[in-house]
Amino acid sequence: DIVLTQSPDSLAVSLGERATINCKSSPSVLSSSNNKNFLAWYQKKPGQPPKLLINWASTRESGVPDRFSGSGSGTEFTLTISRLQAEDAAVYYCQQYYGNPVTFGQGTKLEI
Amino acid sequence: EVQLVESGGGLVQPGGSLRLSCAASGFTLSRYWMTWVRQAPGKGLEWVANIKQDGSEKGYVESVKGRFTISRDNAQNSLYLQMNSLRAEDTAVYYCARDPGIDFWSGYDYWGQGILVTVSS
């Protein structure tokens, strides 16, 4: 199984500042078939379903503010949230869909 | 508008069974892989199972293999999860989700609101 390890487990960042969440994959989720990274980022708030923010490691979903960006390739990935707003407080998860079983990272709790 | 609505959850005793349903609307179910994901109280997200558009391929997390069965009825626009031999550790909110991938799997773009399954005596 592909293991995703997020860091840190939690972080507190001030309004207007930037938050950086890391996700390390073992093994790689870069596909040689299409040269894409099979990795997504989600935002999860209590009582709500997860919301897909970033697909293919760096493609922002429609309607997601450009304050959210994804980067990385192979085994190292980063979710960056700029100009933090109060509504960004949530738990963030990375997910790999390179193969079954699909797996999620353990989550990173972001406090504002 | 794409909608996914889960039903069938509730309280069940250990060793019991439940069948979850997910009613899909606003899109053609037969075009998409579909998935169940769960979140136990205070825990993270866990992928449970997925199923190909025509039901010919299915995948399960190891902890539910032999106990859970994913299925679909495209004509009825519905996804199902039959859960047998339930254990306390299966207690979770269960979500159905859509995989929009065409040639490859993808991140899940639409999710239901979730349904709570509680396994307890």
Side-chain angles (χ1 to χ4, degrees):
Chain A
D1 298 1
I2 296 177
V3 176
L4 299 180
T5 304
Q6 293 182 225
S7 61
D9 289 333
S10 65
L11 74 164
V13 183
S14 300
L15 279 171
E17 297 298 307
R18 180 171 63 189
T20 301
I21 300 171
N22 301 300
C23 178
K24 184 172 293 188
S25 171
S26 178
S28 170
V29 295
L30 175 61
S31 171
S32 57
S33 300
N34 62 358
N35 200 36
K36 288 187 174 183
N37 291 281
F38 283 49
L39 188 116
W41 288 98
Y42 295 86
Q43 179 189 66
K44 178 70 171 68
K45 295 181 179 180
Q48 297 182 19
K51 177 184 179 181
L52 178 63
L53 300 173
I54 303 288
N55 210 0
W56 306 110
S58 60
T59 301
R60 194 182 307 112
E61 285 293 289
S62 174
V64 175
D66 61 7
R67 302 184 294 103
F68 293 85
S69 63
S71 62
S73 183
T75 62
E76 305 267 353
F77 301 91
T78 299
L79 174 68
T80 302
I81 312 169
S82 304
R83 306 184 300 281
L84 274 167
Q85 299 183 5
E87 61 262 32
D88 298 333
V91 179
Y92 292 85
Y93 294 89
C94 57
Q95 174 213 26
Q96 67 79 19
Y97 42 90
Y98 186 84
N100 274 356
V102 169
T103 50
F104 290 88
Q106 81 276 17
T108 295
K109 184 176 183 178
L110 173 61
E111 296 179 338
I112 312 298
Chain B
E1 179 191 6
V2 171
Q3 282 196 332
L4 297 169
V5 180
E6 301 95 341
S7 60
L11 175 64
V12 61
Q13 291 188 340
S17 298
L18 273 180
R19 188 196 197 203
L20 301 184
S21 299
C22 173
S25 61
F27 68 101
T28 303
L29 184 65
S30 61
R31 294 181 180 175
Y32 298 90
W33 279 80
M34 295 296 293
T35 293
W36 289 97
V37 174
R38 67 185 179 184
Q39 184 174 35
K43 303 295 185 181
L45 300 173
E46 182 182 39
W47 177 86
V48 175
N50 65 359
I51 185 168
K52 194 176 180 178
Q53 290 91 334
D54 61 0
S56 61
E57 293 182 31
K58 303 174 185 181
Y60 299 92
V61 68
E62 191 65 35
S63 60
V64 309
K65 282 182 181 177
R67 300 189 300 123
F68 289 14
T69 302
I70 189 172
S71 62
R72 62 194 296 161
D73 185 337
N74 290 333
Q76 296 295 320
N77 295 310
S78 293
L79 174 72
Y80 305 102
L81 186 67
Q82 177 67 44
M83 304 185 294
N84 299 329
S85 303
L86 282 161
R87 307 166 179 167
E89 54 265 35
D90 295 317
T91 294
V93 174
Y94 285 74
Y95 298 96
C96 63
R98 188 181 83 166
D99 181 338
I102 304 299
D103 298 319
F104 302 93
W105 286 328
S106 176
Y108 306 144
D109 60 350
Y110 285 94
W111 297 66
Q113 284 299 310
I115 191 82
L116 177 62
V117 171
T118 303
V119 184
S120 175
S121 54

